[in-house]
Amino acid sequence: MTIRFLGTGTSQGIPVIACDCAVCTSLNTKDKRLRSAVLIQVNGKNIVIDTGPDFRYQMLREHVTHLDAILFTHSHKDHIAGLDDVRAFNRQQGHAIDIYGALEVHEALRREFYYAFAAKKYPGVPQLNLHEISSLPFSLFGMPIIPIEVMHYMMPVLGFRIGDFTYITDAKTVEDTEVQKIRGTKILVVNALQREAHISHFTLDEAIAFAGQVGAEQTYFTHISHKLGLHDEVQAELPEGIFLAYDGLSLELA
């Protein structure tokens, strides 16, 4: 399994429009963050988790030539806004793309991309096969997928465990029953928004504590805002085995 970070930024990305802070003006490429998403490549299949506003560019940057499925964590715009660009894969592959998400996600997709679900479709609209999922495990291309339900303030969000890899974003609280689903994972990805308290996201300290609770061999932080600080400075203060992810980072998992 190969995990490629398509984006590691929060909803505004980095640099933030009209911001001249040290992070937004940094020349370090690791401080440039598109909206959060990952590409999982396993057994010849390409699976993307979330299609934010930067989806088109992310696919071009990583030279992705086919797409087999999309998993959605939740319906916020920074996680779904780029879905229209699957049209290119529809045309290239000659069929619809399988979409996996909770009912609330499907309802949002039908609102935001209404033209893809119209009775009379305009030629070239996205072709989507919606598959409703819950917190129960399901199978995808013969692989068991274990959804992990976390709370984004009052909004349920799904993380996903695929083998020894677990991806969680937009978490603020996680019940012990869900933590049990994660334990034993080798690579954990989880959000770490900023240092200051936030109503709906882990802070840096909360993310570090959560990483300790799970006990994965390696933990990578994502969904990072410019308020967290410069990549190299933050990385230097993290405990052993914990890393800041960055756009374009690729991980291998046997």
Side-chain angles (χ1 to χ4, degrees):
M1 181 188 297
T2 300
I3 301 107
R4 300 164 74 179
F5 287 85
L6 302 173
T8 56
T10 188
S11 58
Q12 296 184 84
I14 302 174
V16 175
I17 292 173
C19 182
D20 62 357
C21 76
V23 177
C24 288
T25 57
S26 169
L27 299 180
N28 186 347
T29 58
K30 292 179 180 178
D31 287 317
K32 311 298 182 186
R33 302 183 186 276
L34 301 177
R35 269 59 75 94
S36 289
V38 291
L39 169 67
I40 300 167
Q41 298 176 302
V42 57
N43 299 330
K45 302 293 185 180
N46 283 341
I47 304 166
V48 164
I49 302 181
D50 290 339
T51 61
D54 304 307
F55 175 69
R56 173 184 172 274
Y57 176 69
Q58 290 165 338
M59 295 294 95
L60 290 170
R61 186 192 68 198
E62 300 299 332
H63 307 290
V64 179
T65 58
H66 76 277
L67 182 61
D68 298 290
I70 298 169
L71 306 179
F72 279 115
T73 59
H74 65 299
S75 62
H76 280 168
K77 276 282 195 174
D78 56 320
H79 295 264
I80 69 169
L83 182 62
D84 181 84
D85 284 312
V86 301
R87 292 181 294 148
F89 293 115
N90 294 148
R91 183 177 64 253
Q92 184 76 10
Q93 297 168 198
H95 59 75
I97 300 295
D98 289 316
I99 309 294
Y100 295 81
L103 176 60
E104 182 268 339
V105 172
H106 290 186
E107 291 172 346
L109 298 181
R110 291 181 183 277
R111 285 195 309 270
E112 300 293 334
F113 304 98
Y114 60 91
Y115 49 89
F117 303 97
K120 294 183 178 180
K121 295 182 176 63
Y122 188 85
V125 300
Q127 300 172 47
L128 312 169
N129 284 334
L130 300 187
H131 303 272
E132 184 181 340
I133 59 175
S134 64
S135 58
L136 297 176
F138 63 98
S139 180
L140 180 59
F141 308 125
M143 298 178 296
I145 310 292
I146 303 174
I148 312 296
E149 186 174 272
V150 304
M151 294 303 294
H152 183 36
Y153 183 42
M154 299 179 68
M155 181 184 195
V157 169
L158 291 181
F160 298 101
R161 178 170 182 173
I162 305 174
D164 287 326
F165 170 70
T166 300
Y167 182 84
I168 296 172
T169 186
D170 292 65
K172 180 61 178 180
T173 56
V174 186
E175 293 293 332
D176 289 342
T177 52
E178 301 303 297
V179 175
Q180 291 299 328
K181 296 179 184 178
I182 308 169
R183 286 208 169 98
T185 196
K186 292 182 179 178
I187 296 178
L188 169 67
V189 178
V190 69
N191 58 295
L193 185 74
Q194 59 190 36
R195 297 175 187 273
E196 300 81 11
H198 193 277
I199 194 171
S200 60
H201 286 275
F202 280 152
T203 64
L204 180 62
D205 286 344
E206 289 169 342
I208 291 171
F210 183 73
Q213 187 180 4
V214 171
E217 292 178 8
Q218 300 175 46
T219 297
Y220 292 85
F221 292 157
T222 191
H223 213 284
I224 294 162
S225 90
H226 64 154
K227 295 181 179 179
L228 184 62
L230 293 165
H231 181 281
D232 290 350
E233 293 181 3
V234 177
Q235 181 60 60
E237 65 184 77
L238 293 179
E240 183 177 357
I242 299 180
F243 311 90
L244 284 190
Y246 54 87
D247 292 21
L249 173 64
S250 182
L251 306 175
E252 298 288 336
L253 187 56

